[in-house]
Amino acid sequence: MLGVEVPKKTLGYLLLVFLLASFAGYGIGTASPGTAVDAVKRIIEQIGPISDSSFENFVKIFTNNATVALMTFLSGLFFGLGPWFIMAFNGLMVGLVVLAVHRMSEVPMGQIILGLIPHGVIEIPAIALAGVAGIVWYREIIGGEGSGEERFKRGAVKGLKLFVLSVLLLLVAAFIEAYVTPKVAGL
């Protein structure tokens, strides 16, 4: 489609890291409830409170997620390791937040899951894809054919194509999170 093959194995492993870190975050929050509450407070400080305007929420969500995707993409240039840490950190935060929301607001776990699934099935792989894009760029730099400049440019083009796809997916996910998820989850 874009003329760049997505390394599915790398994408799958990044998603697995996110999932395992989510469970770890939930476990850490269970052992230390204050940690979970602090995580929620940090997120609210970072993106601000939820607005009554779906459009404002859409813009906030998309801006935040696109920023995370950009950082994940560029972090791939750090020996291909950055995306792994970012996916683990974000998974950890999701686990902490799920536990905090469940405990603080007494929202049933099923409703929390309904609040995550509609947009999460697009958003999380999109951010992982941004990480894959950075890793593709890094791998081309270190292992491609030609001069260093040629490898850098070729890797940048491959990585940017995947990153653009990631951002487009995040646009869809933000729309779903702002307009659809609240109705589906009854939030």
Side-chain angles (χ1 to χ4, degrees):
M1 178 170 95
L2 294 171
V4 177
E5 185 178 327
V6 177
K8 292 174 186 69
K9 196 172 184 179
T10 304
L11 180 64
Y13 285 140
L14 281 171
L15 292 171
L16 181 62
V17 164
F18 177 88
L19 182 63
L20 293 174
S22 296
F23 288 124
Y26 191 89
I28 290 167
T30 301
S32 175
T35 304
V37 172
D38 289 344
V40 171
K41 287 178 183 175
R42 273 187 256 138
I43 290 172
I44 290 171
E45 288 172 9
Q46 181 184 351
I47 61 173
I50 296 171
S51 171
D52 290 336
S53 165
S54 294
F55 182 73
E56 281 183 35
N57 290 331
F58 166 75
V59 171
K60 280 183 190 179
I61 292 164
F62 175 72
T63 303
N64 181 64
N65 289 339
T67 302
V68 170
L70 180 61
M71 291 185 328
T72 306
F73 170 56
L74 294 175
S75 76
L77 294 174
F78 295 103
F79 310 105
L81 297 174
W84 303 98
F85 292 109
I86 291 174
M87 291 302 290
F89 176 77
N90 280 301
L92 190 71
M93 294 302 286
V94 166
L96 288 169
V97 168
V98 164
L99 180 72
V101 169
H102 179 62
R103 288 212 172 143
M104 288 175 14
S105 60
E106 298 181 6
V107 174
M109 192 55 72
Q111 190 175 6
I112 293 171
I113 291 170
L114 282 174
L116 294 173
I117 296 288
H119 65 276
V121 297
I122 299 171
E123 179 180 303
I124 296 164
I127 291 174
L129 182 61
V132 167
I135 292 169
V136 162
W137 189 1
Y138 173 73
R139 287 178 181 166
E140 187 65 37
I141 290 170
I142 64 165
E145 294 181 16
S147 71
E149 182 179 342
E150 289 170 340
R151 293 190 315 261
F152 183 88
K153 287 179 181 178
R154 194 171 46 247
V157 168
K158 288 179 179 180
L160 284 170
K161 285 180 180 181
L162 293 174
F163 178 71
V164 167
L165 177 58
S166 168
V167 171
L168 292 174
L169 290 170
L170 288 173
L171 197 61
V172 172
F175 178 84
I176 292 169
E177 188 171 359
Y179 291 96
V180 178
T181 296
K183 290 177 177 67
V184 171
L187 301 172

